[in-house]
């Protein structure tokens, strides 16, 4: 049985350190040619166009060659895997770097695709300077009440400047923003289940409100603002997220939807839990987007305690196809409550899940979470979602 475990919070950061943007394990990835079957089979985006758009997370180097061809054929939405995160966009205070993000904007425009904005505020892949006071001291350690008040103002000002600058630049290009990412904790330290990140330690829950309000002020009128998280199907996280969102909506905070990352596994979570989660948030009048879908073959982390494969048996691809079939059947049935389904990658040759195998398991346990294989051929999962 696949063991249910959570993503560790260091994942993104560790990834950023291991794999600076643009040079992700590209060298290790296989290339392909026109014989890849993904290039000749019917389009996934076309198949689901009545229900929701179909997205893929990409790095700028993937905007050419076979990757680009597969993107154009099967996806009508893209999102930056890394290059729009705070550490990439504003590595030093006031020094914005849009070069890589602009490449995605250009590609999306040229190909008539939507572009999701991911992510404005997160506890991971965020540069340290955000949280240092004017003397360079970590603001989280401050005990003096007056100074704490000053620090809070300073951090909220920095947050506003960051959001305003990014959102204004991409006002005409981005219609869905992940405004805050992963603000709920899996193992709550406080009553409301809020993650005790530096953002929280310095501003309480205010950073969440100010983030949404600032985004709303500068985004396009028709842009939709999302609160994005993983394990949104899992208690107590789901209820804590629900209560937070309800509370914020009651206060008039402009949230339009919930982003369900959906870094899931073949056997977990249950379809019933996924359905309930989408219905709960839809019940608040909110949109849902599936923002980072991948269906791992393993539990978390992929240590020897869990089954891992050097060569994945065909039976696993069949089990994965059954899972994909159930998922997309559900998504389609709830199509009026879901506006986008984004895979956290294009094909099995590039997935953050393999970096975790490197990190935790000496590279053993190569994963294969998507519907296209490492050579861009269709897998059983592709056929399962196209029925
Ligand atoms: C989170 C983030 C993504 C990505 C993944 C994998 O889900 O939202 O941007 O970093 O972790 O690391």
């Amino acid at each position: 049985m696949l063991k249910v475990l959570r993503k560790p919070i260091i994942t993104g950061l560790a990834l950023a350190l291991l794999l600076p943007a643009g040079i992700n394990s590209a060298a290790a990835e296989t290339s392909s040619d026109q014989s890849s079957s993904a290039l000749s089979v019917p389009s996934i985006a076309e198949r689901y166009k009545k229900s929701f758009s179909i997205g893929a997370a990409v790095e700028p180097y993937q905007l050419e060659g076979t990757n680009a061809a597969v993107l154009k054929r099967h996806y009508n939405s893209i999102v930056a895997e890394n290059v729009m995160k705070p550490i990439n966009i504003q590595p030093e205070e006031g020094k914005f770097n849009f070069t890589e993000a602009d490449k995605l904007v250009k590609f999306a425009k040229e190909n008539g695709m939507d572009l999701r904005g991911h992510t404005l505020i997160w506890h991971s892949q965020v540069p340290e300077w955000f949280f240092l006071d004017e003397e360079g001291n970590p603001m989280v350690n401050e005990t003096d009440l007056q100074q704490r008040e000053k620090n809070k103002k300073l951090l909220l000002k920095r947050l506003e400047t960051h959001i305003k600058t990014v959102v204004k630049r991409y006002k005409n290009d981005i219609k869905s923003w992940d405004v805050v990412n992963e603000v709920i904790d899996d193992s709550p330290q406080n009553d409301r289940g809020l993650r005790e990140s530096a953002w929280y330690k310095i501003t309480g829950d205010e950073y969440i409100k100010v983030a949404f309000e600032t985004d709303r002020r500068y985004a396009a009128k028709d842009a939709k603002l999302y609160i994005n998280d993983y394990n949104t199907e899992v208690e107590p996280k789901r209820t804590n997220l629900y209560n937070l969102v309800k509370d914020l909506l009651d206060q008039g905070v402009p949230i339009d939807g919930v982003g369900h990352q959906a870094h899931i596994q073949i056997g977990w979570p249950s379809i019933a839990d996924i359905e309930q989660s989408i219905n709960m948030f839809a019940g608040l009048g909110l949109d849902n987007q599936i923002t980072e879908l991948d269906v791992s073959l393993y539990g978390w982390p992929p240590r020897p305690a869990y089954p891992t494969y050097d060569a994945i048996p065909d039976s696993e691809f069949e089990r994965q196809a059954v899972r994909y079939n159930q998922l997309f059947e559900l998504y389609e049935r709830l199509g009026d409550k879901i506006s986008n389904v984004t895979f956290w990658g294009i094909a099995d040759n590039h997935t953050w899940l393999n970096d975790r195998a490197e990190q935790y398991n000496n590279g053993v346990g190569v994963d294969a979470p998507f519907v296209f294989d490492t050579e861009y051929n269709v897998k059983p999962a592709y056929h399962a979602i196209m029925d």
Side-chain angles (χ1 to χ4, degrees), residues 7 11 15 85 118 122 181-182 261 263 292 344 352:
K7 274 181 36 179
T11 307
L15 243 190
K85 290 173 178 170
H118 174 86
W122 193 19
N181 197 29
E182 305 183 348
Q261 290 186 4
H263 292 296
E292 306 184 17
W344 203 245
W352 72 288

Side-chain angles (χ1 to χ4, degrees), residues 7 9 116 118-119 121-123 178-186 193-195 207-208 226-234 237-238 240-242 244-245 257-264 277 281 289-293:
K7 274 181 36 179
I9 60 169
R116 301 196 72 258
H118 174 86
T119 178
I121 299 298
W122 193 19
H123 63 275
D178 287 340
V179 182
V180 295
N181 197 29
E182 305 183 348
V183 304
I184 300 289
D185 209 339
D186 303 84
L194 291 169
R195 181 188 294 279
Y207 77 98
I208 304 174
Y226 295 84
I227 184 166
N228 193 47
D229 217 319
Y230 63 92
N231 290 1
T232 55
E233 312 82 1
V234 179
K237 191 167 183 173
R238 170 167 64 191
N240 286 331
L241 178 62
Y242 179 88
L244 171 70
V245 170
V258 173
H260 305 264
Q261 290 186 4
H263 292 296
I264 60 177
S277 182
F281 291 103
Q289 296 201 334
I290 311 302
T291 53
E292 306 184 17
L293 177 63

Side-chain angles (χ1 to χ4, degrees), residues 47-150:
R47 162 71 182 79
Y48 286 98
K49 71 170 184 232
K50 289 205 184 101
S51 304
F52 36 73
S53 50
I54 296 284
V58 297
E59 295 288 8
Y61 79 85
Q62 293 178 302
L63 302 176
E64 50 191 51
T66 310
N67 277 312
V70 174
L71 279 172
K72 290 180 203 174
R73 186 172 193 91
H74 290 284
Y75 304 86
N76 48 11
S77 172
I78 55 171
V79 61
E81 184 174 352
N82 285 294
V83 298
M84 287 197 183
K85 290 173 178 170
I87 202 162
N88 300 63
I89 289 259
Q90 198 186 179
E92 286 175 57
E93 185 159 22
K95 293 205 173 136
F96 287 85
N97 177 5
F98 293 114
T99 314
E100 297 303 306
D102 284 353
K103 292 180 185 169
L104 268 62
V105 173
K106 182 163 176 276
F107 184 85
K109 251 191 215 154
E110 283 172 0
N111 294 291
M113 295 174 169
D114 293 337
L115 177 63
R116 301 196 72 258
H118 174 86
T119 178
L120 292 167
I121 299 298
W122 193 19
H123 63 275
S124 184
Q125 294 184 250
V126 56
E128 210 40 49
W129 64 259
F130 267 101
F131 311 113
L132 301 179
D133 69 16
E134 270 141 3
E135 271 75 57
N137 304 312
M139 295 196 273
V140 287
N141 296 338
E142 186 56 58
T143 49
D144 179 74
L145 283 184
Q146 244 178 338
Q147 187 59 36
R148 282 189 63 80
E149 215 30 58
K150 269 189 162 169

Side-chain angles (χ1 to χ4, degrees), residues 317-358:
F317 293 129
E318 295 299 335
R319 290 199 326 125
Q320 185 184 46
V322 172
R323 175 67 156 169
Y324 261 110
N325 186 43
Q326 294 167 345
L327 265 183
F328 274 74
E329 186 277 326
L330 175 73
Y331 294 157
E332 194 167 36
R333 187 153 52 75
L334 300 181
D336 57 337
K337 297 169 183 166
I338 299 174
S339 61
N340 173 276
V341 176
T342 289
F343 293 85
W344 203 245
I346 303 168
D348 285 347
N349 60 355
H350 176 82
T351 165
W352 72 288
L353 295 170
N354 285 345
D355 303 322
R356 75 180 189 172
E358 286 298 331

